Amino acid sequence: MEEVFVVNGVRKDELLPAFNDDHGGVIVELKEPMDSNNFRSRLRASLFQWKLQGKKGVWIKIPIGLVNLVETAVKEGFWYHHAEPDYLMLVNWIPVIDNTIPANATHRVSIGAIIVNDKRELLVVQEKNGKLKGKGIWKIPTGVIEQGEDIFAGAIREVKEETGVDTEFVELLAFRQMHKALFGKSDLLFLCMLRPLSYKIQKQDLEIEAAQWMPLEEYAAQPFTQKHGLYKYINDLCLAKLDGSYAGFTPRPVTSIFSDSISYLYVNKQDLNCRIFSLN
Amino acid sequence: MEEVFVVNGVRKDELLPAFNDDHGGVIVELKEPMDSNNFRSRLRASLFQWKLQGKKGVWIKIPIGLVNLVETAVKEGFWYHHAEPDYLMLVNWIPVIDNTIPANATHRVSIGAIIVNDKRELLVVQEKNGKLKGKGIWKIPTGVIEQGEDIFAGAIREVKEETGVDTEFVELLAFRQMHKALFGKSDLLFLCMLRPLSYKIQKQDLEIEAAQWMPLEEYAAQPFTQKHGLYKYINDLCLAKLDGSYAGFTPRPVTSIFSDSISYLYVNKQDLNCRIFSLN
């Protein structure tokens, strides 16, 4: 009998299907609809088992179609870890101490695109929404990186979407980390220098009020640019790159044991090559 | 009567309390307990009003204590935007087209700390969990930045926690963007060079199997370092910094109109100063 019945009359083959993670915990991905009473007994019996097995973190992924089970999971002691449009991930930590549950994603990644043509004009826009709306301030195109998108690719995409201009990636000049940007999350803004491959502007209507090529001096002379550190730095970086020998970071492909996809390491290629050449 | 009753018998003063966001939408933060039937009628009436008012995005923040209302919100057409341990944020887009709902946070931010003492020994650890567990591989200390933490501060904290060594921040040498790292989210790993201020190692027991100062040549000679791009780059960067003139990025404080807290812009200070000095 002990082989078949575990607890509360739940059979072993009714325990929630779970697989192990790399950190001594288990992951349950609910897929089949069930009523919340059935879920409650199966969850209790499963938790009992996992505790006996010395499991630590317990993850339950509930697709939005099974939203009827969320309340039960919370009442059984689970809390939210993260959510995406189509699912909610809940978590529970069985041991009394040493909670090492990894944090949810903490940052949004955005890009600012610095694009200068051969007349020393900067590609700038005015936005229809947000804090700069209706203020007549010209700024570089900015946008948010999509899930799974590389920074250099996102920069090229955003510029094309907002202004119609084709570009290629040159270098990452700087980045800014800002906290409490959106729902308490932080923002990493990567300032990318791109080279224009086309010049005709065709602005996007939804988000962009106006777009133009603007002489760098005019951009720099805006009171707003003078006043705000980041906008002033953008001008300085631009000049340092155009007239000086400023070295930013360049992406180079690297493999990883933690992911199947190609990752990119952004390094100061110039200085790294210097050293490697000097040794060879 | 039109002044008092809006729809479905819900009085105007029973509409859900909402405030406007910067993008033509409204935000509801539920705080008072209510039963799900009451919530349903109030939500329907409120949606009717917001539609008349031309509102776009509707956000509902439900604390975990009011989990009984989640199912109702989903059944009324809302979906998940993000979740933190103590709340779930749902969203709905009233217009038929042009959904511009900002994405959830997409990246976790981690640091890798490169610390060399004056005997050219690198501070390295072996981890108790994860993919490298039990493989005897020496690697630099790494860790995840906490919500709201600056990269340079997180690097110093992680090294102290894992090894007991006190350090100060020198420079950001490179960073890597990797996709599908954790729950489909991406990871940004910032490789920071730190200067040791103390040398005695006191390892943390929970996550660290062993820690030591290891001659750079020995680190480089590990077959694992040879094989994996990132680990090899760490060695190259280390040598370029120690023996060459590699310039990474340094944090400089900047203010922002989008946040009250101080942000940091990471720039190649060396090259930026060059230009500024040469102009003055």
Side-chain angles (χ1 to χ4, degrees), chain A residues 84 175 185 247 266 268 271, chain B residues 84 175 185 247 266 268 271:
Chain A
E84 293 300 320
F175 68 87
K185 295 290 178 175
Y266 292 72
N268 181 338
D271 288 1
Chain B
E84 292 300 321
F175 67 87
K185 296 288 178 180
Y266 291 72
N268 181 337
D271 287 1

Side-chain angles (χ1 to χ4, degrees), chain B:
Chain B
M1 289 297 273
E2 273 175 3
E3 286 300 302
V4 178
F5 292 97
V6 179
V7 69
N8 285 347
V10 174
R11 292 159 47 108
K12 266 200 177 166
D13 59 1
E14 288 180 341
L15 290 176
L16 295 170
F19 52 93
N20 294 326
D21 65 20
D22 283 340
H23 300 271
V26 291
I27 305 173
V28 177
E29 294 194 359
L30 296 179
K31 281 169 187 156
E32 303 305 323
M34 62 185 104
D35 74 43
S36 56
N37 286 330
N38 178 18
F39 176 56
R40 183 182 299 108
S41 356
R42 295 178 68 185
L43 180 56
R44 284 185 182 172
S46 304
L47 277 168
F48 183 82
Q49 273 291 87
W50 295 324
K51 198 167 183 171
L52 287 181
Q53 292 165 357
K55 297 296 181 193
K56 295 177 182 171
V58 177
W59 302 87
I60 302 185
K61 184 175 178 175
I62 305 185
I64 197 164
L66 306 186
V67 61
N68 63 309
L69 306 179
V70 172
E71 186 175 355
T72 303
V74 169
K75 294 212 162 133
E76 295 302 313
F78 284 74
W79 60 91
Y80 306 139
H81 185 269
H82 67 273
E84 292 300 321
D86 57 344
Y87 77 88
L88 178 60
M89 181 71 90
L90 295 109
V91 69
N92 199 342
W93 185 253
I94 296 180
V96 182
I97 49 161
D98 291 345
N99 175 336
T100 56
I101 293 172
N104 187 359
T106 50
H107 285 67
R108 184 175 69 163
V109 172
S110 50
I111 59 86
I114 302 181
I115 307 162
V116 183
N117 66 17
D118 48 15
K119 295 181 209 151
R120 294 177 74 90
E121 292 169 327
L122 183 67
L123 183 60
V124 290
V125 300
Q126 289 186 6
E127 292 181 347
K128 277 193 174 168
N129 298 300
K131 289 212 173 153
L132 296 183
K133 174 182 174 178
K135 297 214 167 112
I137 292 163
W138 294 100
K139 59 181 278 292
I140 59 170
T142 53
V144 177
I145 293 294
E146 291 171 0
Q147 186 75 64
E149 189 176 37
D150 288 311
I151 292 164
F152 61 85
I156 293 168
R157 177 187 54 74
E158 278 288 344
V159 171
K160 179 71 179 173
E161 281 178 15
E162 292 195 352
T163 69
V165 172
D166 294 303
T167 55
E168 65 184 3
F169 188 84
V170 178
E171 215 176 65
L172 185 114
L173 300 187
F175 67 87
R176 183 209 54 193
Q177 186 189 25
M178 179 172 75
H179 302 304
K180 296 178 188 165
L182 181 85
F183 307 118
K185 296 288 178 180
S186 303
D187 181 89
L188 275 162
L189 171 71
F190 290 92
L191 295 175
C192 303
M193 176 151 269
L194 307 177
R195 185 178 297 121
L197 298 175
S198 73
Y199 300 91
K200 185 162 177 266
I201 289 173
Q202 185 135 20
K203 81 171 184 70
Q204 183 225 52
D205 284 332
L206 184 57
E207 296 170 299
I208 304 299
E209 183 64 43
Q212 66 162 332
W213 292 98
M214 183 185 223
L216 255 180
E217 296 73 32
E218 276 184 40
Y219 168 79
Q222 292 184 106
F224 187 79
T225 309
Q226 295 292 325
K227 197 173 157 198
H228 289 284
L230 185 65
Y231 292 79
K232 193 153 176 343
Y233 265 114
I234 287 169
N235 184 56
D236 288 349
L237 285 165
C238 214
L239 293 176
K241 193 70 206 166
L242 292 178
D243 303 332
S245 58
Y246 186 90
F249 287 174
T250 316
R252 306 188 110 182
V254 283
T255 54
S256 167
I257 53 162
F258 297 105
S259 172
D260 293 333
S261 45
I262 292 246
S263 302
Y264 287 90
L265 183 73
Y266 291 72
V267 291
N268 181 337
K269 193 174 65 173
Q270 194 173 307
D271 287 1
L272 201 62
N273 285 346
C274 267
R275 187 197 154 264
I276 290 169
F277 291 144
S278 71
L279 288 184
N280 290 344

Side-chain angles (χ1 to χ4, degrees), chain A residues 231-241, chain B residues 272 275-276:
Chain A
Y231 292 78
K232 193 151 174 350
Y233 264 114
I234 287 169
N235 185 56
D236 289 349
L237 285 166
C238 215
L239 294 175
K241 193 68 207 169
Chain B
L272 201 62
R275 187 197 154 264
I276 290 169

